[in-house]
Amino acid sequence: MSATQTFLLELHCEEIPARFLEPLTRDFSAAFTTWASAQGLTASNLEAFYSPRKLAWRGVGLPISQPDQTETQVGPPQRMCVDEAGKPTIQGEKFAEKWGVPFSAVRFEQPAGKKEPCAVVTLTKQGRPTVALLAEALPGLIASLHVPKAMRWGKSDFEFVRPIRNILCLFGEEVVPITVDGVKATNSTWGHRLHHRQDAAPITISTPEGYEAALEAAGVVVSVDIRRARIAQQLDALAAEAGGRVVPDAELLDTLAEIVEFPKIVRGDFPASFLELPKEVLVTSLREHQKSFCIEGPDGALLPCFLTAANRTDDPAGYVKAGNEWVLKARLYDARFFFAEDRKHPLSDRLEKLQALTFQRDLGSYHAKTGRVVALVKMLATRLSQDEAHVNRALEAARMAKCDLRTLMVGEFPELQGIMGGEYLKHEGADEEVWMAVKEHYRPIGAEDAIPGTPLGCLLSLCDKLDTVVGCFAVGLIPSGSKDPLALRRAGQGIVRILWEQGWALTPTDLIHTALMAVGQKATRPPAETTEALLAFFRDRVAYQLEQAGYAGSVRRSALATGWEDLADLKARCEALSAFAEDARFASLAQSAKRIGNILKDEAPADVFDAATLQDATEQALAERLNGIEDSSDQATLLAALADLAQPLEAFFSAVMVKCEDPALRAARLSLLHRLRQAFLRVADFSLWQ
């Protein structure tokens, strides 16, 4: 018999909500791995499977028996365990009796931390069969799985996400004898509710290795990764047949993979007249109401068809297709009604109605927020542009940005806020810059999302996010740990990304000061305290931006240490450092910079540098070279010039003693090194380079 076997556990339940599937399998995997490791039963691989009615785990290479365990017990000192004749005392015999061994098994050693030899006995505990250990542990591990809304059924006290109807539990070919909530484990399970009916015989699983194949034959693909891959393949194939491509939606793809047992995609159609609705409305309606994908043509326009999951191997009578088309048509009629009703009144009519919509208790309504954003846009737009017409367009976009929150369409689909405002303004004939800015001002929504595509959209997005972040900090709503209910970190990252990609000469300190002026009397914390917290917050966001940009850790640390608020300058320094990091001169330069920092650690530079005081040719040459690079404004040019100092610096340190006895010469050399250090710090703090 093999020294290892494969373990398989499957819980077959009533349908489990998709959002619980992955967390439950992950939590059990972690708990099982921890338990197995404590028992000396580490598996070489633990796989997790899940589908709407199944949670399953398979561990490969689990030992058939727990290894023998040894433990050493230390007793009283030797002098208390044996008498002068070497015979055991009562205390010595009691020690041996306590551990169930004859006195002859007791030895005398001086353990670590003891001052004299003591009685020592080594006990060997024989390992138990793995099946027995599994039988004891699994019910508790299953019961410990937690979900936010655990339930009980009937008279049972057992709480779980859904009632367990069947348990499959094998160790090799042997059934592990466990019972959970009155359900005993067997070597059988059930397949798809349609293709493998409950009045049929259960599926026998002879070995854990045959689990997936046996279930797929019964209409269940238990691997979510395989279901996702097959769905994606079918989506692409059916979209190509229709003459287009799938509108990408990774989250919807994950959802479909989680809510079906068998990955079967069907294509449906809807009346082409609905294509008059904005593209985002159709995509959102199909995704939210029908969990369906849209298809777009080569020009990006939608085609009058959709793709959805059937959760069965076939649709012979076309019921799945027809049913989805019937429901979808009703939903699209609703969307068309909302779109028509909203357009009966100009978007601007809803501005005053924002007073009845609370943004945040201390910061007031969305109408108040709009006023603050308008003020911010006015202050920043005039700094970025001298074009009065452009500034006026920016102010118009700021006034209209939140008005669609009072529309029927956004009431039905909150995720369309901003988008619908832009669409309604477009239909009203607003300037393209204005409606585009309103449509995009929530971007970037996440790390993978792009910033707004126009400068005006970027400005509006920045001001909106800035008001949210600074306003919340000003009233004490600050993210802590993993808690960030208002998504302030995401908003802050959006601000940094816009500044980073636009290259605007706006620093976080400037922005914070401007936004605090707009918040005004609504602030409940002292401005200095709020500013300090916000600067630390934005510095973290900038550090993350550098990481996302792909800069190495040494580049990020050394560049941030010499200034982080001027993002254009920071970006240039990081680019220059990254380009020169592989230069052979760079390592020598970095070491020299660290050496200079150590020399100057407790030294104050002289007020006036007198080059004539320098005596050695190496220091005179170094000073002359330094004169030519201190005025360089380009970071790459400056770093290249500094790199050319690598050899002169080595020669300088080899030839002279900086802290010499001559006070004037010592001061001149220290002043020269101070000038060098200031030149280095214009690029990076090389003491942090590793």
Side-chain angles (χ1 to χ4, degrees), residues 7 131 154 161 180 212 261 271 295 353 382 418 430 468 487 502-503 511 542 547 566 573 576 584 656 663 671:
F7 160 73
V131 167
V161 60
V180 178
E212 299 108 294
E261 291 184 304
I295 303 175
K353 295 180 180 179
T382 52
T468 297
Q502 288 291 320
L511 294 177
V542 171
E547 183 179 349
D566 186 340
R573 288 188 285 120
V656 306
S671 184

Side-chain angles (χ1 to χ4, degrees), residues 110-309:
Q110 186 170 341
K114 299 290 185 179
K115 296 181 179 180
E116 58 181 310
C118 297
V120 176
V121 62
T122 298
L123 305 174
T124 300
K125 184 179 180 182
Q126 186 175 4
R128 298 174 59 199
T130 300
V131 167
L133 294 171
L134 288 169
E136 287 182 0
L138 288 176
L141 292 175
I142 295 169
S144 68
L145 290 176
H146 173 74
V147 293
K149 295 182 180 180
M151 303 179 186
R152 292 182 295 172
W153 295 267
K155 297 180 179 179
S156 173
D157 292 329
F158 180 77
E159 293 186 350
F160 202 58
V161 60
R162 288 294 184 271
I164 297 175
R165 297 308 187 196
N166 188 80
I167 299 176
L168 163 66
C169 194
L170 294 176
F171 186 62
E173 298 180 3
E174 183 178 358
V175 174
V176 180
I178 64 171
T179 300
V180 178
D181 196 25
V183 181
K184 293 183 179 181
T186 66
N187 65 345
S188 63
T189 186
W190 300 92
H192 194 285
R193 59 162 52 93
L194 296 178
H195 302 293
H196 180 233
R197 299 181 62 83
Q198 296 296 308
D199 56 3
I203 307 163
T204 299
I205 306 297
S206 302
T207 64
E209 290 78 8
Y211 177 61
E212 299 108 294
L215 276 173
E216 182 155 2
V220 177
V221 177
V222 291
S223 169
V224 68
D225 293 329
I226 293 176
R227 294 199 302 274
R228 185 186 297 109
R230 292 186 187 177
I231 288 172
Q233 185 178 26
Q234 293 177 47
L235 288 171
D236 290 340
L238 289 173
E241 286 181 11
R245 57 180 177 265
V246 175
V247 175
D249 190 330
E251 185 177 345
L252 178 57
L253 178 60
D254 289 341
T255 298
L256 290 186
E258 290 173 341
I259 65 175
V260 301
E261 291 184 304
F262 193 90
K264 174 67 175 178
I265 301 299
V266 297
R267 172 187 156 186
D269 302 292
F270 59 84
S273 59
F274 287 116
L275 294 176
E276 67 185 21
L277 291 170
K279 180 178 180 178
E280 292 86 355
V281 171
L282 289 168
V283 170
T284 302
S285 182
L286 267 72
R287 181 182 68 238
E288 296 301 315
H289 290 312
Q290 295 301 110
K291 299 293 186 288
S292 299
F293 281 88
C294 286
I295 303 175
E296 61 185 9
D299 60 352
L302 293 184
L303 303 179
C305 47
F306 64 94
L307 302 171
T308 194

Side-chain angles (χ1 to χ4, degrees), residues 352-367:
E352 291 302 316
K353 295 180 180 179
L354 291 176
Q355 296 187 51
L357 193 61
T358 301
F359 166 61
Q360 197 279 328
R361 183 182 59 187
D362 297 316
L363 295 171
S365 66
Y366 270 95
H367 188 273

Side-chain angles (χ1 to χ4, degrees), residues 603-615:
E603 298 287 348
D607 293 335
V608 179
F609 173 66
D610 185 3
T613 308
L614 300 175
Q615 299 176 354

Side-chain angles (χ1 to χ4, degrees), residues 427-448:
H427 281 276
E428 291 174 17
D431 187 282
E432 183 176 4
E433 266 197 301
V434 173
W435 68 257
M436 281 292 293
V438 172
K439 188 171 184 177
E440 296 186 325
H441 84 277
Y442 283 99
R443 302 180 71 177
I445 297 173
E448 303 301 321

